[in-house]
Each structure stands twice: as C-alpha cells, then as structure tokens.
Amino acid sequence: MNDKEFFQFIDRCIAFQSEVGSLVSRLSPVPEVRFMTAFQSGLITLEHSTAVLQLIRSGLFASGFSLFRPQFENLVRGIWLLYAATDKTVENLAQPLSPESVSKANDLPMLSRMLEKLEKSEAPAAIVAQLQQYKEATWKSMNSYAHGGIHPLARTLSGYPAQLTYEAMRNSNAVTALTSQLMAILSGNPDNMPAVRTLHNDFLDCLPIAGS
C-alpha cells in the first residue's frame, strides 16, 4: 500500500465514522437503567474510535494505537452490561461519582471474565464469537501499546508501515461497526437495525472481511 492509497483509506474511515455518528445521534436507549448504562459505554467506545482516527491521521501513531484496548474494552463492557451483568452491578455503575459509588464499582470483572459471562448469557453467539476472535488476535499487541511495551518502543525507531496501520484501522473500524449494532439493539426498536446493516455494506472497504 502506497501513501496515496493509505490517505484515501483514511478519508473513507472519516466518512465511515461520520455516518456512524449520524446514525447513533438518532438513537436513544430504552429508558431502563441497564440499557442506558450500556448505551453510555457504547458512546465511550465511539469517542475512542474518533480519537484513534484523529491521532493516526495526525501522525501520532503510538497514542492512537494505545486506544485500541480501551476502545475494545468499552464495547465488551457495553455488551456485558446488557446481557450478563447483575442488576446490582448495573445499579452500582449507574450512580453519580462519589467515594462510595467508586468503592462499590471497584470489583468489576476484567475482560476475560466478561467474555466468559457472555458465553453463558443470551448474548448473540455470533457477536460473542467475534469478540473472542478479536481478543485472541490482538490482545497481546493492544496491551503492549497501552502499557508502553516493546511494540511502541520498537515502532518509534522503525516507524509505522502504511500496511500495518491500514490493518489496525480496519480492526478498529470493526469495533466501531459492532458498537453501532449494539446501539441499535439498545434502542429497543428492530427498525433501526437495517440502517446499521446498510452502513456496514456501504463501507466494506473499511472493515476486515473474511477471505480478503
């Protein structure tokens, strides 16, 4: 991939995120605490998605790559809140910030535990499988970038090849796409899902496609 192709791809990513933002801005969660709290987690995921794109577009690659992990974790958190978290945990996370509410929220499960809970829940099996596959493929490198490991240290010297960044951004866009699907589910209106599917189909060139 040459520089021209890479920047054309970045322009498509910008268009993709703009369409996702427009779609999500028209959605509201079911007015129940579980749905509302999961929706907030989805909004955080999309904020990280925007930040990733802006940082990478500005040449701040290490900072952009460091957000892949919290972007993914907030997506998983949102799906876990909807399908697997206990009522008490959801209630604790919906409280305003205070020393007491922070203390009650300190025992949240880590990513692997949330995925285990989701496997035993009523969450769509296909989505859970995608989350597991994503974790298996990217977890070590995401941790390295998030915690100042060998990946960002080495890339600071060798640089970030366009092909590497292209693949990383497609993975990030996949998280964004799944988040848009989650937000439509949280609206409680099945009529919102066709627009999500159309969006995904319109931007297949921005997403990791099996067999590509």
Side-chain angles (χ1 to χ4, degrees):
M1 169 172 281
N2 59 41
D3 288 346
K4 181 180 179 180
E5 291 170 334
F6 176 73
F7 285 109
Q8 288 174 341
F9 168 70
I10 291 297
D11 286 342
R12 285 289 289 165
C13 291
I14 292 170
F16 171 63
Q17 287 202 0
S18 177
E19 289 297 320
V20 170
S22 178
L23 186 154
V24 171
S25 71
R26 300 192 297 270
L27 302 178
S28 298
V30 174
E32 298 176 9
V33 64
R34 182 178 294 274
F35 287 79
M36 295 168 65
T37 307
F39 197 87
Q40 291 167 4
S41 192
L43 291 176
I44 296 170
T45 304
L46 296 178
E47 182 175 322
H48 288 320
S49 301
T50 299
V52 165
L53 180 56
Q54 291 181 353
L55 287 165
I56 288 176
R57 187 187 184 198
S58 299
L60 301 173
F61 295 102
S63 297
F65 277 49
S66 73
L67 289 176
F68 289 144
R69 173 174 165 168
Q71 180 199 27
F72 178 58
E73 284 181 311
N74 275 281
L75 168 61
V76 176
R77 183 77 70 194
I79 297 173
W80 170 80
L81 281 166
L82 177 60
Y83 291 107
T86 65
D87 291 340
K88 184 63 176 176
T89 297
V90 173
E91 181 183 341
N92 287 343
L93 285 174
Q95 301 304 310
L97 277 176
S98 69
E100 181 181 4
S101 65
V102 170
S103 176
K104 289 181 179 179
N106 273 343
D107 60 347
L108 290 177
M110 301 299 287
L111 185 76
S112 294
R113 184 62 175 160
M114 286 192 290
L115 290 173
E116 289 175 6
K117 290 289 187 180
L118 283 170
E119 286 182 337
K120 301 174 183 177
S121 73
E122 296 182 358
I127 291 179
V128 177
Q130 286 178 291
L131 296 175
Q132 290 280 21
Q133 291 167 7
Y134 187 91
K135 177 180 180 290
E136 290 171 6
T138 64
W139 190 241
K140 289 183 179 179
S141 61
M142 285 196 296
N143 284 334
S144 182
Y145 282 109
H147 299 299
I150 189 172
H151 286 75
L153 291 173
R155 289 297 174 193
T156 299
L157 294 174
S158 65
Y160 289 77
Q163 187 66 35
L164 169 70
T165 308
Y166 165 73
E167 297 293 349
M169 276 304 308
R170 289 207 308 167
N171 285 335
S172 176
N173 290 339
V175 173
T176 303
L178 282 173
T179 304
S180 67
Q181 186 174 346
L182 171 65
M183 303 302 254
I185 292 171
L186 291 168
S187 74
N189 184 353
D191 290 341
N192 288 322
M193 194 58 71
V196 173
R197 297 193 184 100
T198 298
L199 175 65
H200 294 179
N201 287 331
D202 288 346
F203 288 92
L204 288 177
D205 56 319
C206 294
L207 301 170
I209 305 302
S212 64

